Amino acid sequence: MNLHTIYLAGGCYWGVEKYMQHIPGVAETEVGFANGSTHHPTYQQVRYENTGHAETVRVVYDADTVPLDKLLRLFFRIIDPVSVDQQGEDVGHQYRTGVYHTDEADVPVIRAELEKLQKQFDQPLAVEACALEHFYSAEEYHQKYLDKNPTGYCHVPWAAINAVKDVRMEEV
């Protein structure tokens, strides 16, 4: 496998993780907190103490099955890319959207996909695109949360989650 890692913030990480798990070529996911000011924050700190972190999903993917450009296009289907600090009913800076890279080779792909996305909107995109400063895993009960709690809240439509597992990459 040709494994790579990207970090995606798209509001509440439960639904983003569940969606990513269903994409062919995604090998691993983990929810956590990215690019804030507190070391090893808890969920409670991120939620209530203005740590600056974004709820983020670490996505390990096989680039031969799902190249980064297509992975990003799929991710963009489940977010409102012009919404500032809100996705669905979740409101706050921790629910902002972002694409955080660890490999400089990803930057041109990320920029190109954001430029394509911008053409679909009159408003400026609110999606951060920058290097990952740090990522801290969320508590265990948040990992694969919707697998453990199938009736849990999710701003990502279940129809999108169920449909993405059958996506044909040549159509993305």
Side-chain angles (χ1 to χ4, degrees):
M1 295 179 85
N2 183 12
L3 297 179
H4 294 263
T5 303
I6 195 78
Y7 295 79
L8 303 173
C12 174
Y13 48 32
W14 296 340
V16 176
E17 179 184 45
K18 185 70 172 173
Y19 179 79
M20 288 291 148
Q21 287 175 304
H22 281 76
I23 295 174
V26 170
E28 184 181 325
T29 59
E30 177 184 25
V31 299
F33 311 107
N35 291 5
S37 60
T38 305
H39 295 286
H40 304 285
T42 65
Y43 174 78
Q44 293 299 318
Q45 288 174 308
V46 171
R47 179 92 170 103
Y48 299 108
E49 296 180 17
N50 195 27
T51 65
H53 287 89
E55 288 195 16
T56 301
V57 180
R58 180 178 62 86
V59 180
V60 178
Y61 63 98
D62 177 5
D64 292 336
T65 303
V66 57
L68 180 58
D69 60 340
K70 294 181 184 225
L71 184 68
L72 292 174
R73 285 181 218 151
L74 290 168
F75 171 62
F76 295 152
R77 290 180 180 181
I78 61 163
I79 65 169
D80 178 349
V82 297
S83 179
V84 177
D85 294 347
Q86 180 175 358
Q87 292 294 305
E89 298 298 314
D90 299 312
V91 179
H93 194 56
Q94 72 271 22
Y95 299 119
R96 67 189 182 273
T97 56
V99 178
Y100 310 121
H101 67 275
T102 56
D103 184 345
E104 285 298 315
D106 291 342
V107 172
V109 176
I110 295 166
R111 283 187 185 147
E113 290 307 313
L114 286 170
E115 286 173 12
K116 289 178 192 173
L117 183 64
Q118 180 61 73
K119 291 177 183 175
Q120 300 172 34
F121 296 90
D122 293 330
Q123 301 160 278
L125 296 180
V127 180
E128 292 182 329
C130 58
L132 181 76
E133 295 172 19
H134 38 67
F135 176 82
Y136 299 105
S137 296
E139 296 89 339
E140 181 55 37
Y141 73 92
H142 288 286
Q143 306 300 330
K144 315 289 187 275
Y145 183 86
L146 292 175
D147 290 344
K148 300 171 193 170
N149 303 281
T151 59
Y153 167 76
C154 179
H155 73 282
V156 178
W158 281 101
I161 292 170
N162 292 325
V164 76
K165 61 185 159 196
D166 297 322
V167 71
R168 295 174 48 141
M169 288 303 149
E170 59 272 7
E171 296 172 1
V172 176

